[in-house]
Amino acid sequence: PSRWRIDDRLLSINFKNDSHSIDIQTIKYIRNVPRSGGNLIMIFFKDARQPKRYWRNKLFQNADDLDSLIHALKMEGIEYYYA
């Protein structure tokens, strides 16, 4: 299971044995790519070539968690694309 939250323009994603913190100002946009095994969430950065990739079923426990994250990021001015 994982948990995410946004505090002080910082996106924190916490897993059982790992955690990731992302400064929201460094995010260029987010892409949601449907795959046969679920959804691949890709976070693209302003100054990096490679995005961070997360499988939706590993990142979110409930169906509406992705919608909540997307809404929160849009409120911060981050673009979201469903590809």
Side-chain angles (χ1 to χ4, degrees):
S2 67
R3 301 277 184 241
W4 66 268
R5 66 186 221 195
I6 297 176
D7 288 318
D8 298 324
R9 304 204 40 91
L10 187 69
L11 170 62
S12 300
I13 304 169
N14 297 305
F15 299 95
K16 181 179 178 182
N17 297 320
D18 194 14
S19 64
H20 299 209
S21 293
I22 301 169
D23 183 344
I24 290 178
Q25 295 178 5
T26 65
I27 298 174
K28 186 173 182 180
Y29 62 93
I30 294 183
R31 183 181 296 165
N32 180 355
V33 183
R35 295 284 189 244
S36 61
N39 294 60
L40 179 62
I41 308 300
M42 301 169 66
I43 301 175
F44 289 83
F45 298 93
K46 295 175 182 173
D47 58 353
R49 293 179 182 237
Q50 296 296 320
K52 287 196 179 213
R53 294 173 168 90
Y54 301 97
W55 284 104
R56 179 181 185 185
N57 61 336
K58 293 181 181 175
L59 187 59
F60 303 110
Q61 297 209 23
N62 299 314
D64 61 344
D65 284 348
L66 175 61
D67 294 334
S68 296
L69 174 62
I70 298 309
H71 176 72
L73 291 174
K74 282 184 177 180
M75 297 302 290
E76 294 288 338
I78 305 297
E79 295 292 326
Y80 170 78
Y81 300 98
Y82 185 81

